[in-house]
Amino acid sequence: MTAEPLAFRHRHLLGLEGLRADEIDLILDLADGYVAQNRQADRKNALLRGRTIINLFFENSTRTRTSFELAGKRLGADVINMSVATSSVKKGETLIDTAMTLNAMHADVMVVRHPESGAVKLLADKVTGSVINAGDGTHEHPTQALLDALTIRRRKGRLAGLVVTICGDILHSRVARSNIHLLNAVGATVRVVGPPTLIPSEVENLGVEVHHRMSTGLAGADIVMMLRLQQERMQGQYVPSFREYFRFYGLDYEKLAAAKPDALIMHPGPMNRGVEIDSEVADDINRSVILDQVELGVAVRMAMLDLLTRRERTNAQ
Ligand code: CP
């Protein structure tokens, strides 16, 4: 007798706020299996044969869009990358009309990135398939935090009890928000470090320690997660200059010395070398897991596509 596949109670993945530790474990355990599949010579199966996935990105992306495309194809689905720049959005078609149009073509999953916080939820309310948030404004980027968690768990063997320090532009970071929700749910300690201008007010209410000096924020940390300065979301000047910012908040070996000797260095990418992170540190093969994050991103996205289509696949049998 074959075991029933474990069900996921959500139709969409819009964020990690409210997701339980057992649900996070379910995703990470499933993703672990897909890591093995992705390292084989034949990386493809037919789990989602006949299913349609549409990538709808209203903002630029290298890692997220490519890895969702690979994830869908490795599961045997038809994957369409809709180019917003050459679509009818440029003729004035609204987000909702675009969503309804794609929905009429029977997309099973839509993967959506949008510059406005909350826009992906708005779209999810209008479609019959599942929606995955690939990053909405400064709100959430759930699959990024899941791949970060898988990277940490595979290297450290656990998440609970670790000290994770997230550094830099917390104010504009959906990656930071999703990581804070996930890491709190699984019992890690979360610290944020940055200049007062880049730390959201009342961020303590999310259950994090706030530091303004790298020396105290990194003291004894297991994980050092660096973030990009998101200039495209800034109106006005948040830092005096990149040079000054690097001096106080850029990760170099001198600042890293405050963390545990085996602390891992992470960055969601894209990196601004010499602004938030020194090139040598970013490329340190003994400490940096930045490219592991990229690799594991495909597996996590395969796990999410698998889980979100399970109910429909079971009903179709
Ligand atoms: N980390 C991340 O979301 O990268 P992309 O913008 O390249 O997708």
Side-chain angles (χ1 to χ4, degrees):
M1 200 175 87
T2 37
E4 277 289 304
L6 288 164
F8 192 60
R9 71 185 166 114
H10 308 277
R11 179 153 72 96
H12 308 298
L13 181 72
L14 302 178
L16 298 183
E17 188 174 5
L19 216 66
R20 301 187 310 242
D22 64 304
E23 293 173 320
I24 292 163
D25 284 343
L26 171 68
I27 300 166
L28 300 188
D29 291 347
L30 189 60
D32 253 330
Y34 284 122
V35 176
Q37 178 179 322
N38 287 336
R39 289 179 179 175
Q40 294 168 14
D42 182 358
R43 304 183 185 95
K44 203 161 168 169
N45 66 30
L47 189 77
L48 300 188
R49 191 167 54 200
R51 303 303 193 281
T52 304
I53 297 163
I54 299 185
N55 281 333
L56 180 57
F57 279 55
F58 293 85
E59 268 188 354
N60 294 341
S61 169
T62 297
R63 280 146 284 266
T64 313
R65 204 191 81 159
T66 311
S67 59
F68 267 114
E69 182 175 358
L70 277 175
K73 287 182 172 170
R74 286 185 186 168
L75 294 173
D78 296 318
V79 184
I80 308 297
N81 290 311
M82 211 194 92
S83 166
V84 170
T86 54
S87 73
S88 291
V89 170
K90 293 292 168 194
K91 299 177 195 162
E93 190 160 49
T94 66
L95 171 70
I96 298 302
D97 283 337
T98 304
M100 301 288 276
T101 300
L102 298 174
N103 191 55
M105 298 181 199
H106 302 294
D108 296 286
V109 183
M110 283 191 213
V111 180
V112 186
R113 173 171 286 190
H114 198 279
E116 297 296 330
S117 302
V120 181
K121 166 145 185 17
L122 215 61
L123 182 149
D125 290 342
K126 300 284 178 193
V127 300
T128 46
S130 293
V131 173
I132 299 178
N133 180 4
D136 64 325
T138 60
H139 173 230
E140 283 224 40
H141 188 352
T143 55
Q144 178 67 47
L146 287 163
L147 74 88
D148 292 342
L150 185 64
T151 307
I152 298 170
R153 200 179 77 163
R154 286 174 67 93
R155 287 287 184 137
K156 295 287 182 191
R158 67 194 164 101
L159 293 165
L162 295 178
V163 175
V164 181
T165 303
I166 308 175
C167 310
D169 184 358
I170 312 293
L171 183 67
H172 301 103
S173 178
R174 54 199 180 203
V175 173
R177 267 165 203 77
S178 287
N179 264 292
I180 290 168
H181 292 310
L182 184 153
L183 291 164
N184 277 332
V186 298
T189 297
V190 189
R191 298 179 188 158
V192 296
V193 191
T197 49
L198 292 176
I199 301 281
S201 58
E202 301 181 20
V203 71
E204 294 91 343
N205 295 345
L206 294 181
V208 300
E209 291 174 21
V210 178
H211 296 261
H212 296 301
R213 287 172 183 272
M214 291 288 269
S215 56
T216 58
L218 292 186
D222 296 285
I223 306 294
V224 181
M225 194 179 285
M226 301 308 299
L227 298 175
R228 181 173 68 87
L229 279 182
Q230 299 201 26
Q231 292 173 76
E232 72 275 23
R233 298 192 207 286
M234 294 182 186
Q235 280 153 359
Q237 198 160 2
Y238 288 77
V239 295
S241 67
F242 289 157
R243 199 186 157 103
E244 192 79 348
Y245 182 78
F246 182 78
R247 192 167 146 230
F248 288 101
Y249 295 102
L251 188 68
D252 53 17
Y253 282 114
E254 200 180 324
K255 297 186 192 80
L256 183 62
K260 283 195 180 149
D262 62 349
L264 299 176
I265 299 155
M266 303 180 73
H267 193 307
M271 282 186 277
N272 287 317
R273 291 170 182 263
V275 178
E276 73 267 1
I277 191 163
D278 176 65
S279 249
E280 260 193 84
V281 174
D283 298 335
D284 185 333
I285 54 167
N286 297 312
R287 307 290 294 275
S288 168
V289 293
I290 294 169
L291 292 178
D292 293 30
Q293 291 172 264
V294 176
E295 182 199 358
L296 301 184
V298 180
V300 158
R301 287 158 181 144
M302 289 166 83
M304 280 321 309
L305 293 173
D306 176 346
L307 282 171
L308 291 178
T309 53
R310 272 186 186 186
R311 200 187 316 266
E312 184 269 330
R313 289 194 335 259
T314 310
N315 292 341
Q317 276 172 5

